[in-house]
Amino acid sequence: MSTFSVPYRVMFFHVKIASIDQVCGSDFIKGLSFPIEEATKVDITAYLQNSFGSPARLDYGTGHELNFIAFLCCLELLSVLDLRDRSKVALKIFVRYTGLTRTIQQYFRLEPAGSLGAWGLDDYCFIPFLWGSAQLQIHSSSAPNLIIADPLVVEEGNMFFDSCRYVKLVKGGPLEVVSPTLASLSTVKSWKQMTEGLFKMYCGECINKFQVMQHFHFGTLLNLRKA
């Protein structure tokens, strides 16, 4: 077991307590214009607590990332976040969340949860690539073939390219070697096609995968009902 087991569990405990204080504490409740049911508190707390990795397995993966997306969805369903703020939520809140989880991954040496290794886009996350490509579809003059550019200095601040840079930094090599699947996206003709393809990949590798969804909490706000 990793030598970081004990401090990670301590850290996770503090995150757990902090999430309860922030999400279910009196200050948060008072800030809302309506009361929150106890079951809803349980849902929100579960999603936030499960957003930073597993203290038992000492890993982090797309399932944990999905929990944070669920947490944000719950805040929108409760009208804490507005539908019109989705871009700000993605580009500010989620970007900061991704940065925090990367710090946790490196400092505590978390293992990738269900990683595909070199044959996945990233050992830990997926959403920054999906949302980043959607962002480039609207606001960019660059093309997907720049993914394999060296040095990769285009589109500073974009989630997709920032994630590509991070993969190169952590794995210490060109994308063609350390992440051939990610490098292969350079052949896609447009960011629109990229976004559509990544969405299908995300559904196949995360949303529709039992190994990921078996750990997901279905409650009152996000429930498992037959469509």
Side-chain angles (χ1 to χ4, degrees), residues 72-126:
L72 295 176
C73 287
C74 287
L75 295 186
E76 186 175 293
L77 289 172
L78 293 170
S79 299
V80 177
L81 297 176
D82 192 281
L83 178 64
R84 294 168 296 181
D85 294 330
R86 283 185 174 180
S87 294
K88 294 180 181 178
V89 170
L91 298 176
K92 294 191 178 294
I93 296 178
F94 187 78
V95 166
R96 291 193 176 188
Y97 160 76
T98 300
L100 174 59
T101 57
R102 285 172 176 168
T103 299
I104 293 174
Q105 292 156 23
Q106 291 186 43
Y107 185 81
F108 296 101
R109 299 182 183 177
L110 301 188
E111 295 292 332
S115 171
L116 296 177
W119 304 108
L121 294 183
D122 182 276
D123 285 339
Y124 297 98
C125 65
F126 194 104

Side-chain angles (χ1 to χ4, degrees), residues 53-200:
S54 170
R57 299 186 303 272
L58 292 176
D59 63 11
Y60 176 92
T62 52
H64 302 107
E65 180 184 59
L66 177 62
N67 270 274
F68 190 73
I69 300 298
F71 170 70
L72 295 176
C73 287
C74 287
L75 295 186
E76 186 175 293
L77 289 172
L78 293 170
S79 299
V80 177
L81 297 176
D82 192 281
L83 178 64
R84 294 168 296 181
D85 294 330
R86 283 185 174 180
S87 294
K88 294 180 181 178
V89 170
L91 298 176
K92 294 191 178 294
I93 296 178
F94 187 78
V95 166
R96 291 193 176 188
Y97 160 76
T98 300
L100 174 59
T101 57
R102 285 172 176 168
T103 299
I104 293 174
Q105 292 156 23
Q106 291 186 43
Y107 185 81
F108 296 101
R109 299 182 183 177
L110 301 188
E111 295 292 332
S115 171
L116 296 177
W119 304 108
L121 294 183
D122 182 276
D123 285 339
Y124 297 98
C125 65
F126 194 104
I127 291 296
F129 295 99
L130 176 58
W131 287 0
S133 67
Q135 181 186 5
L136 290 166
Q137 180 181 332
I138 301 173
H139 304 290
S140 178
S141 58
S142 62
N145 62 1
L146 292 177
I147 294 173
I148 57 176
D150 192 20
L152 187 55
V153 295
V154 295
E155 301 289 349
E156 292 283 350
N158 171 264
M159 281 190 283
F160 185 96
F161 280 109
D162 285 349
S163 295
C164 290
R165 279 184 281 268
Y166 182 75
V167 170
K168 291 180 65 174
L169 175 66
V170 172
K171 295 192 174 184
L175 291 180
E176 297 93 321
V177 176
V178 300
S179 185
T181 299
L182 180 56
S184 70
L185 297 181
S186 63
T187 62
V188 178
K189 294 182 179 180
S190 68
W191 292 115
K192 182 177 184 297
Q193 289 183 349
M194 176 85 74
T195 303
E196 292 172 350
L198 288 177
F199 180 73
K200 291 179 181 179

